[in-house]
Amino acid sequence: MNWTLALPEIILSLSSLGIISYGAVQKRENPFFICSTFSIAALIAVSFLIMTGSNGLGFNNLFISDEFSRFMKLLILVAALLTIILSLDFNIKASSNSFEFTALLLFSTTGAMIMVSSNNLMTLYLGLELSSLPLYILCAFDRDNVFSSEAGIKYFILGSVASTIILYGLSLIYGFSGGLGYEHVHLAFASPNPIPPGLSFGLIFILVGLCFKISAAPFHMWTPDVYQGAPTSVSMYLSTVPKFAAFALFMRLIMGPFGNISFQWQLLIEIIAILSIIVGSVGAIVQTNIKRMMAYSSISHMGYTLVGLAAATTEGVLGSLIYLTVYLFMNIGTFAVIAAMTRKGLIVENVKDLSGLGKTNPGIAAAMAIFMFSMAGAPPLAGFFGKFMVFWAAISAHLYILTIIGILASAISAYIYLRIIKIMYFNTLIQPLDPQPLSLSLITFSMGTVTIIFLLFMSPIVHISKIAAQSLF
Amino acid sequence: MQPMDSSFLIVTLFSPLFGSCSSGLLGKMLGDRFAKSVSILGMILSLAASWYIMGHIVYSGPQDKLVPIATWISSSTFNISWDLRLDTLSVSMATIVTSISFLVHIYSIGYMSREEMPTYRFFSYLSLFTFSMLLLVTSCNLVGLYCGWEAVGLSSYLLIGYWYTKPAAVAAAIKAFVVNRIADLFFLIGISLLFILSGSVYFSDIFQRAPELLRTHYDFIGYDFKACEMISFLLFVGAMGKSAQLFFHVWLPDAMEGPTPVSALIHAATMVTAGVFLMARMSPILEIAYYTRALILIIGSITAFFAASVALTQTDIKKSIAYSTCSQLGYMFVAIGCGAYQIALFHLTTHAFFKALLFLGAGSVIHALHNEQDMFKMGGLAKKLPFTCVVMWIGSLALAGIFPFAGYWSKDAIMKSAWMYNSNCSYFAWVITSLTAFLTALYSWRLLFLVFHAPSKNQALTSKAKESPSVMINPMGVLALGSVCSGFILSSYYIGSKHTHFWGSSIFTGTNNHILSLIHRTPLFIAQTPSILAILGILVAYICYVRFPILPTKLANSFSGPYRFLINAWYFDRLYQIIFIKPYHILSKILWNIGEKEIIEGAPLIIADFTQRSAKTISRTQNGSFALYALTLVIGLVIILTTFLIYH
């Protein structure tokens, strides 16, 4: 019983329980700040635990800890940490500064980490639900805002549909293979006999459910509405942590239990990748709300990440991991800029509100320009290397059509990002935005720096990602 | 002494570049005076160095060596280093170029003094022009030569279009550039063919393999050509462009739109001589290309006649001299066609002196008359501009080939060689060039009489004329001296008894080619014909323009057809307009309207439009309805299941 492998998850869930208890019994006016500080400390501690963690299976093979899971967990923790730092100032503005926020965030993070470490279909489902349920509440956290409530409900209902689809897939696989453990499923798919269609159906149901989680087209419909409605800090969390967790599951499943039948899912992933890239790039063109635009942008980014997966090789997984890493930095940076968009104390979210930012707030405009260029894939910024790695993997795997469509679509997506830059620097100023609080400046600055100098520490990141990718095979 | 020569050649080449860069880049900051000084300083250095090497060659014999500067291209079988070739041919050309260019620089100080705009740009271009030409003549391989060739084209473009606010000047600059580019294309193909067939672009390698080229055949669109004929033809077409031979001459008269010192430079030293130089440089290949030489002979003689006949009717003083250059270049090509490369270069040298002189003289007249160029508005200027009048007389005497002026020695040698070459083509060339000699004298004295001796037609204009300042007069004096003496001084070196010693190995003469010794055995009558015809021409000019000034007008009226033919320069421009330019415009319009607007611009617009519309469609489906979202989810699932079932 190697329970220490799950120590990070245990600590995180205990912390959130502690926060809830403390929040219930304390006498202060609002314990939001102290709870946030505590959770930041918990997240940092857990990150260190993970960095020093060891490999192994625990809880009767229900739980796995390997280089891959630790890499993904670190990404998740960094995203969660930055979300809490951002929410320190932002949630006060968005009147979402109750202590439950941090507790729910930690629960969701724990669920995401369990997803990453699952080695059994049951653990998978458990983690999935644990990460999703708090998110439904978080989306509706700004209760007075009708859009926020709508977002919560929408995400809840559609998420439930996706959950049932996954559950149905799980039951199909269990029924046809007779087991829930990944190694069991792996054996079932490896048998020389023709694979029973029920197993393949189960595989597809699970993949579709996960595609919903990462908001890949055509399962993306919820994304723009939810991103727009939810508080910006939650949108930022939504665009990173659940996606990383679902991607980790995706990779683990298709490389592990479904690894023997890559010919069965490769085409599906190609189709989904192409659809996501196109829908994301094209859909973003006409958006006037910047959060909606970012929702479409994240759809297309997920499409690019899927390109790496479609290659079904170590290089492909490596490319996807690098892409996700890069996506983390530039996405959080962009959301920090969006969170900084307030005018006379009111939150503004239209693309037009950025007009003239280059003059009124050159620092934040420069950071935003860097993120936009990076997302468009302009070298030598981080986004270029992400795209380069996944396309390189796709070309190595002879997926030429996918690559060509991907590159053409990235030309389209360049339009949406350059439009933001144009608005910031060339449109005339309407009214200046309020000066942004310290925590946002900190995140924007650090993310901008990372995006610029990514080239410098690229080789260690590639090295670590490579180890992570290889541990899957 | 040897390394000294090398470094002096490098100084010769690079000091004009230094002058050009300094005056061009710093002229705006440090002013015109600095720009002039630095570019003239560069020219003085270059001049001194080139004369030093020349003197060294004259006294201690010919040289043939490479002066390495840098490795340029190194790519498996294609290796080019930037080396200079130091031999009599390159040094003699360099000496002419630097001498003329130096005098033109000095003259320009006076000529450009009335410009309102700063003139540092002008001096920078002049020096650049000189550098380009030096680059061309000193190169040891064809690629380097081609670079100089193109640089000359570029600088001529810059200088002809110097007054860029004048539409005519801009058009002339473009015309010169484009016509040259067309010829350059042939040149480039020639170089490529030479590289394919001989495997090298170095002169030394090519010349060694020249005998092989005689035996090699090249199949072109089903016809079998000798490689040497093919290559030399292509190179000759290139030379026709730069040296303004018939069919490619159209840019030359228009180039008169540039400032007059530029015309002097182009016509005497830095541009039109490039073609003749190329032919002399490629002498080992031309020696074995008999048919191409025959073609050169014919084209050269017809050019000489054509240009002289057109010069007869020009009213613009500069255009008249411009056609005269074209005609004299024809003479040089006749010499090339006869295999008398040394004579061609001799004429090139003497011509450089008197043509520069004539242009600077014309410039002096124009300067005195405040940019009036119409000869028929001038007259009676002999008293107002006595010095200019004298030097123009000297230049014209040299041009017409009157003993003992420079032109006599070189031009007569050409005509003698045409006679003694002893082929049908060369007899044809002799007849034509003899006629041309008459015409040359006629148009030269027509110019002299109209400008200096006929009664003034426009008193208001001519009465105020003043002799040019000494900064303009002195260069003309030097050139006048050259026009008088260069013939008999250089004759023995270039074509006379000392020629083998002087040229060394720089010009190849075949074993059967004895033209240089044959010309001394020309029958006396034949040898004297050009001079007699020239004197006849002067007499006719005297009768027509001094004694009976009404006569030319009467002739023009009674023979209006031929007159219009001549004054329109044989309708070449109009012909090209119809054959080339109009179809080209039509083609361009088609390409613009269909290719550019419809396809290159249109396709992205259609794609963008499509993208916009699909974006709207996507956002329209996003209507906020749960049912629709869930339905899409399920439809997606079904579609993916279906795809899966179909493919497995």
Side-chain angles (χ1 to χ4, degrees), chain B residues 429-451:
Chain B
W430 185 82
V431 173
I432 295 282
T433 48
S434 301
L435 264 177
T436 309
F438 168 75
L439 293 177
T440 307
L442 184 56
Y443 69 68
S444 300
W445 266 267
R446 169 177 173 267
L447 186 152
L448 283 179
F449 289 140
L450 279 177
V451 173

Side-chain angles (χ1 to χ4, degrees), chain B residues 391-629:
Chain B
V391 296
M392 286 293 270
W393 265 85
I394 294 173
S396 298
L397 285 168
L399 175 64
I402 308 294
F403 183 83
F405 294 92
Y408 167 79
W409 305 88
S410 51
K411 197 161 151 187
D412 274 20
I414 290 174
M415 297 186 57
K416 283 178 194 165
S417 62
W419 181 264
M420 297 308 291
Y421 186 65
N422 198 16
S423 77
N424 291 336
C425 292
S426 78
Y427 288 128
F428 168 78
W430 185 82
V431 173
I432 295 282
T433 48
S434 301
L435 264 177
T436 309
F438 168 75
L439 293 177
T440 307
L442 184 56
Y443 69 68
S444 300
W445 266 267
R446 169 177 173 267
L447 186 152
L448 283 179
F449 289 140
L450 279 177
V451 173
F452 293 106
H453 304 292
S456 173
K457 283 119 206 150
N458 190 342
Q459 283 292 345
L461 184 73
T462 52
S463 58
K464 275 187 243 148
K466 266 207 315 238
E467 187 59 282
S468 301
S470 60
V471 74
M472 285 166 72
I473 282 186
N474 291 339
M476 298 196 314
V478 176
L479 287 172
L481 196 66
S483 305
V484 177
C485 315
S486 64
F488 64 83
I489 292 175
L490 295 178
S491 152
S492 61
Y493 290 105
Y494 271 69
I495 58 171
S497 50
K498 297 178 194 156
H499 80 265
T500 41
H501 184 67
F502 178 73
W503 290 109
S505 58
S506 61
I507 290 183
F508 177 81
T509 317
T511 43
N512 299 324
N513 186 345
H514 306 296
I515 195 83
L516 283 185
S517 47
L518 279 175
I519 56 168
H520 299 298
R521 282 184 246 150
T522 319
L524 188 65
F525 171 69
I526 298 298
Q528 293 309 324
T529 309
S531 304
I532 294 165
L533 285 171
I535 290 164
L536 206 61
I538 297 172
L539 281 178
V540 172
Y542 177 73
I543 292 166
C544 287
Y545 293 97
V546 180
R547 292 304 294 268
F548 307 105
I550 204 80
L551 201 61
T553 330
K554 269 190 177 168
L555 275 173
N557 287 338
S558 46
F559 296 100
S560 65
Y563 176 74
R564 277 208 305 274
F565 183 65
L566 289 181
I567 203 162
N568 283 306
W570 294 23
Y571 289 110
F572 266 106
D573 272 335
R574 206 152 316 160
L575 201 65
Y576 285 178
Q577 189 77 29
I578 295 165
I579 299 174
F580 297 117
I581 298 172
K582 274 199 182 144
Y584 182 76
H585 269 271
I586 292 167
L587 182 71
S588 309
K589 263 194 190 141
I590 292 171
L591 286 177
W592 164 248
N593 285 330
I594 294 172
E596 177 80 20
K597 274 191 180 165
E598 297 286 322
I599 298 169
I600 298 176
E601 269 181 30
L605 283 179
I606 290 167
I607 295 171
D609 197 46
F610 172 75
T611 318
Q612 283 274 0
R613 250 181 289 157
S614 30
K616 275 183 194 138
T617 317
I618 287 178
S619 72
R620 213 175 299 135
T621 57
Q622 200 78 41
N623 61 358
S625 148
F626 279 121
L628 183 76
Y629 290 6

Side-chain angles (χ1 to χ4, degrees), chain A residues 364-406:
Chain A
I364 208 160
M368 187 68 164
I370 288 165
F371 299 133
M372 291 297 116
F373 273 124
S374 174
M375 287 201 180
L381 299 174
F384 167 75
F385 295 103
K387 282 208 172 77
F388 176 79
M389 299 287 274
V390 291
F391 285 131
W392 182 64
I395 286 173
S396 312
H398 308 291
L399 302 175
Y400 299 117
I401 295 173
L402 179 61
T403 314
I404 290 169
I405 292 176

Side-chain angles (χ1 to χ4, degrees), chain A residues 153-154 157-158 165 200-201 204-205 208 212 218-219 221 224-225 263-264 267-268 271-272 279 282-283 285-287 292 296 412, chain B residues 607 610-612 614-616 618-619 621-626 628-630 632-637 640-641 643-645 647-648:
Chain A
I153 304 261
K154 252 181 200 169
I157 293 177
L158 293 169
I165 290 174
S200 305
F201 271 52
I204 291 166
F205 274 77
V208 166
F212 173 87
F219 313 106
M221 301 291 273
D225 292 6
F263 58 92
Q264 294 215 349
L267 180 73
L268 301 183
I271 294 171
I272 293 171
V279 167
V282 174
I285 291 177
V286 286
Q287 301 306 327
R292 270 184 103 78
Y296 280 103
I412 298 175
Chain B
I607 295 171
F610 172 75
T611 318
Q612 283 274 0
S614 30
K616 275 183 194 138
I618 287 178
S619 72
T621 57
Q622 200 78 41
N623 61 358
S625 148
F626 279 121
L628 183 76
Y629 290 6
T632 323
L633 213 165
V634 175
I635 289 173
L637 177 65
I640 288 202
L641 274 177
T643 326
F644 177 77
L645 286 176
Y647 282 94
H648 294 281

Side-chain angles (χ1 to χ4, degrees), chain B residues 14-264:
Chain B
F14 285 103
S15 43
L17 181 66
F18 160 76
S20 170
C21 292
S22 320
S23 57
L25 299 177
L26 304 175
K28 199 169 190 174
M29 246 186 296
L30 301 177
D32 263 10
R33 183 179 282 274
F34 164 80
K36 284 174 196 166
S37 326
V38 76
S39 61
I40 285 170
L41 176 73
M43 282 319 300
I44 289 173
L45 286 175
S46 180
L47 178 78
S50 65
W51 275 88
Y52 172 82
I53 312 172
M54 192 67 203
H56 192 234
I57 284 180
V58 167
Y59 284 106
S60 33
Q63 299 190 359
D64 187 2
K65 64 176 182 185
L66 293 183
V67 183
I69 292 186
T71 305
W72 185 19
I73 300 171
S74 175
S75 157
S76 75
T77 56
F78 190 64
N79 293 300
I80 298 178
S81 55
W82 187 15
D83 298 340
L84 306 183
R85 193 179 162 102
L86 201 168
D87 62 8
T88 312
L89 184 57
S90 62
V91 173
S92 64
M93 281 300 289
T95 314
I96 300 163
V97 171
T98 52
S99 312
I100 303 292
S101 181
F102 170 70
L103 293 172
V104 168
H105 270 78
I106 300 287
Y107 179 89
S108 299
I109 297 175
Y111 193 81
M112 301 303 279
S113 59
R114 291 206 199 119
E115 284 291 296
E116 284 163 13
M117 301 276 285
T119 51
Y120 66 91
R121 202 162 56 87
F122 183 77
F123 283 89
S124 171
Y125 291 167
L126 275 189
S127 292
L128 181 69
F129 207 171
T130 315
F131 167 72
S132 312
M133 191 65 190
L134 290 171
L135 189 67
L136 193 160
V137 298
T138 52
S139 174
C140 75
N141 57 50
L142 273 171
V143 176
L145 191 150
Y146 187 76
C147 284
W149 192 269
E150 291 301 312
V152 164
L154 168 72
S155 355
S156 70
Y157 168 82
L158 293 172
L159 279 169
I160 295 169
Y162 178 74
W163 286 316
Y164 54 82
T165 48
K166 259 168 70 181
V170 176
I174 293 172
K175 190 174 180 181
F177 196 72
V178 170
V179 171
N180 271 295
R181 294 296 312 172
I182 294 167
D184 292 351
L185 178 65
F186 288 89
F187 185 25
L188 195 61
I189 297 171
I191 296 175
S192 317
L193 190 61
L194 198 54
F195 177 71
I196 291 167
L197 295 176
S198 74
S200 173
V201 288
Y202 278 83
F203 295 130
S204 44
D205 297 343
I206 295 168
F207 298 159
Q208 271 174 9
R209 292 172 204 165
E212 293 168 32
L213 290 175
L214 182 61
R215 292 188 293 275
T216 319
H217 286 253
Y218 188 77
D219 187 60
F220 179 66
I221 51 171
Y223 292 93
D224 198 29
F225 290 101
K226 274 187 182 163
C228 57
E229 300 282 358
M230 189 91 179
I231 290 164
S232 45
F233 172 73
L234 289 168
L235 297 186
F236 171 58
V237 176
M240 279 169 80
K242 277 277 177 291
S243 290
Q245 291 302 286
L246 199 65
F247 306 116
F248 286 99
H249 67 275
V250 286
W251 65 270
L252 192 70
D254 287 26
M256 292 303 109
E257 289 296 337
T260 310
V262 176
S263 309

